[in-house]
Amino acid sequence: MHAMAHRWANLLIPPGDHLMNETPAVDAQGTETAGERTGGCLCGRIRFTAQGPAVFPHTCECDHCQKLGGTPVMWWVGFKTITWIGEGGEPTWYETLPGEAKRGFCPTCGSRVAAIDSDIPEIGINVTALDDTSGEDLVPIHASFHDNAVHWLRSVPEAEHSAAG
């Protein structure tokens, strides 16, 4: 499998069809903050806020994600802006495709938290790094690399529109 095939831009989704409704987050005082979510790594050194609508939530079953995540499938979503707020600053970036793609992880606990691809305007976030993964706008609408899926785990069905409408 060609590593470039993993890139979100090659996922045959018509422009505009992948935006989903955003779910308001709740800040420390319990106040809703529309368009902002929080998340971080397992040990808490890497923390972030994500601003903007959740873009193109999907799972990926490619060899690349399986090796990076140590799991049969990873769950991704894009956000326009990520602000690194934890004491660890930004994650450590591993350039998976030199000059084109990198993945961010915590150097202390190893949690995979983010992805940057040169031709995609949003920053990818591993959905499980979010503090709240229950938003309807995070429900995967696409699964990449069905042919590489493990036989015992059902893949996400393809969806024309978001689960939120």
Side-chain angles (χ1 to χ4, degrees), residues 37-157:
R37 289 185 161 99
T38 59
C41 67
L42 181 62
C43 73
R45 290 185 45 79
I46 304 294
R47 295 288 302 159
F48 61 86
T49 59
Q51 294 87 28
V55 177
F56 194 54
H58 68 284
T59 60
C60 187
E61 299 162 322
C62 75
D63 287 336
H64 186 92
C65 281
Q66 289 173 344
K67 288 185 188 301
L68 278 172
T71 182
V73 63
M74 288 187 78
W75 181 18
W76 295 100
V77 68
F79 291 100
K80 182 178 179 178
T81 305
I82 300 295
T83 304
W84 304 104
I85 58 173
E87 69 180 57
E90 281 197 37
T92 296
W93 295 100
Y94 174 71
E95 210 167 7
T96 54
L97 297 168
E100 297 181 31
K102 56 185 176 179
R103 303 296 179 249
F105 65 95
C106 174
T108 302
C109 68
S111 297
R112 301 323 191 222
V113 295
I116 295 175
D117 291 284
S118 64
D119 62 346
I120 299 171
E122 295 84 21
I123 297 170
I125 290 294
N126 184 345
V127 176
T128 58
L130 292 170
D131 294 332
D132 180 0
T133 62
S134 65
E136 284 296 313
D137 59 343
L138 299 175
V139 175
I141 61 169
H142 181 83
S144 303
F145 299 95
H146 283 287
D147 293 344
N148 199 55
V150 294
H151 71 281
W152 49 265
L153 182 63
R154 191 176 314 210
S155 218
V156 171

